[in-house]
Amino acid sequence: MVERASTNGLQSTQPYLDWRRLPQPILGLAPMDGVTDSACRHIQKKYGKPALVYTEFVAVERLQVGDWALLKDLHYDESQRPVIAQIYGHEPERFLWMAVFLCELGFDGIDINMGCPAASVVHRGSGAGLIRTPKLAQEIVRAARRGVELWRNGATVHDIPGLPAHLLAQVEARRNALPAPFQARRPVPVSVKTRIGYERPQAREWISRLLEAEPAAIAVHGRTLHQRYRGAADWEQIAAAAETARGSCTLVLGNGDVRNYEDAVQRAACYGLDGALIGRGANGNPLVFRPDAEDLLAAEPHLLLRIALEHAQLHEETISKGHPPRFLPMRKHLGWYARGFPGASYLRRNLVQTSSAAEVEALLAPYI
């Protein structure tokens, strides 16, 4: 067992993710497509110290088609631990082999997306579409858990049917570069992120079906699929999910409209939850996870702009690296950072037109 720093300054001797041994309430960064890439997670972990971070969701079908961008989308660095890979799809066997693949890459956990409301995902029976097919949802969770067990019993990327040679070689290289404790065939828990219902709130009946597959944790977004991100999140339904899971081996976290650290802690206590995930509230503000956020900003009013520059530089070094460089995805982050101070709107208009970290630095120089 190796010792590593936990997210609240305590020490952990667990080289693997045990949801029940995380400091409670568990506060994590919610996975967001097009947002929580590796650079974003690094910055959030460095300055906010959330207990958990998730990758953007990745389709399980990409494994056997040999998608060259797959490993780039699943990139992470050691500072992000515990880091969870989020995946989606609708064919159980693909989840089994993707679980083996993710274990080989050294992820601490595997999360199955059963909450994405995008029509292109739902119409294939994936994401939140699985709420309408609870039996299939159970099969998917069990398949992912079987994949983990196969890996723990010796399965490797060489056992994955149809895995292209270029992916095999890259995974082996990554695995060999992992710190020794994370090369071990350790427990890798399977969790689920979902919503309170499809057309209507149905948290009790839906969560009760998921519990039969015994996921390690379920994060519940307090809106139905039909709501997408409209209206207020229904935390009474999230509380119903937690009550349904009480006495089981599964933890329940809430998600939706969480504003800051105090709000997250209060909601977890009020609704009987094991924790909460913060999504949009963390955009442009990794300090949202910290109880001392106000003190930090009072001491350094433009701290978030300094973090924004570091984020832009890291994005340029990692995410946008290539020919031509892809700095465009960083612009939305810059827009989120530039708010809440005199002249923010003017600065924001300029930041969202930048094409390099050097341009960002020039614009931010007068502030930081």
Side-chain angles (χ1 to χ4, degrees):
M1 298 287 186
V2 288
E3 193 171 83
R4 61 188 175 89
S6 72
T7 54
N8 65 350
L10 301 175
Q11 294 295 310
S12 171
T13 56
Q14 298 282 359
Y16 58 87
L17 172 59
D18 183 344
W19 281 84
R20 292 192 168 275
R21 298 189 64 173
L22 290 171
Q24 291 205 11
I26 301 165
L27 302 186
L29 174 66
M32 292 176 281
D33 186 39
V35 177
T36 53
D37 56 33
S38 183
C40 174
R41 296 193 306 271
H42 178 97
I43 293 296
Q44 292 282 342
K45 194 75 172 184
K46 180 176 179 178
Y47 290 100
K49 297 180 171 58
L52 298 164
V53 296
Y54 301 70
T55 68
E56 301 168 86
F57 69 167
V58 170
V60 292
E61 292 86 355
R62 293 173 63 184
L63 181 60
Q64 276 123 340
V65 300
D67 188 339
W68 284 86
L70 179 59
L71 283 175
K72 184 173 183 180
D73 291 344
L74 290 172
H75 175 74
Y76 65 91
D77 61 64
E78 290 299 313
S79 75
Q80 296 172 29
R81 294 194 185 277
V83 57
I84 299 172
Q86 192 184 67
I87 53 179
Y88 75 98
H90 59 279
E91 297 172 86
E93 186 166 349
R94 291 187 183 273
F95 281 85
L96 184 150
W97 295 115
M98 179 61 94
V100 172
F101 186 79
L102 296 172
C103 288
E104 287 278 81
L105 287 174
F107 279 98
D108 298 296
I110 298 169
D111 189 77
I112 301 170
N113 182 303
M114 298 188 185
C116 177
S120 59
V121 173
V122 173
H123 288 168
R124 299 186 65 194
S126 304
L130 286 166
I131 298 173
R132 303 182 79 175
T133 55
K135 185 175 179 181
L136 177 59
Q138 292 173 349
E139 291 175 9
I140 285 172
V141 174
R142 291 178 179 131
R145 294 183 62 196
R146 285 199 307 275
V148 172
E149 288 308 305
L150 278 177
W151 175 77
R152 294 194 69 196
N153 288 324
T156 71
V157 283
H158 292 273
D159 298 302
I160 300 175
L163 186 68
H166 70 273
L167 283 180
L168 190 153
Q170 290 180 69
V171 172
E172 286 190 318
R174 281 206 194 178
R175 179 161 175 73
N176 291 335
L178 288 171
F182 301 105
Q183 291 187 30
R185 295 185 181 269
R186 58 208 170 96
V188 178
V190 175
S191 57
V192 172
K193 189 172 189 297
T194 189
R195 288 175 174 252
I196 57 173
Y198 192 89
E199 295 176 336
R200 59 178 179 82
Q202 55 187 98
R204 288 186 186 276
E205 54 193 279
W206 167 228
I207 297 303
S208 66
R209 297 299 299 276
L210 279 180
L211 290 171
E212 294 176 28
E214 299 184 336
I218 303 174
V220 184
H221 183 94
R223 293 179 175 86
T224 64
L225 178 147
H226 277 202
Q227 280 182 275
R228 294 179 62 85
Y229 299 99
R230 298 186 299 270
D234 187 341
W235 282 76
E236 293 298 334
Q237 281 287 311
I238 298 175
E243 186 178 338
T244 302
R246 199 155 295 134
S248 73
C249 61
T250 301
L251 277 63
V252 175
L253 286 71
N255 175 225
D257 305 337
V258 182
R259 298 184 298 274
N260 51 43
Y261 172 87
E262 291 77 12
D263 188 28
V265 171
Q266 183 177 6
R267 287 179 190 254
C270 179
Y271 295 103
L273 303 166
D274 298 292
L277 299 183
I278 302 178
R280 289 177 290 177
N283 289 343
N285 183 18
L287 304 181
V288 73
F289 297 99
R290 300 183 58 140
D292 59 348
E294 291 187 8
D295 294 338
L296 291 170
L297 290 172
E300 188 178 348
H302 293 305
L303 172 58
L304 291 177
L305 294 183
R306 181 167 62 80
I307 295 172
L309 175 57
E310 183 178 343
H311 189 166
Q313 291 168 336
L314 182 61
H315 189 280
E316 189 170 73
E317 293 168 8
T318 56
I319 308 301
S320 62
K321 192 174 183 180
H323 301 286
R326 295 180 63 255
F327 195 75
L328 183 62
M330 184 62 212
R331 292 178 177 177
K332 59 180 174 289
H333 291 279
L334 294 169
W336 292 325
Y337 280 111
R339 58 188 178 186
F341 58 89
S345 59
Y346 172 79
L347 177 61
R348 187 164 55 248
R349 284 196 298 271
N350 287 286
L351 284 172
V352 297
Q353 298 179 56
T354 55
S355 299
S356 69
E359 291 179 18
V360 174
E361 185 173 17
L363 286 171
L364 295 183
Y367 299 87
I368 62 177

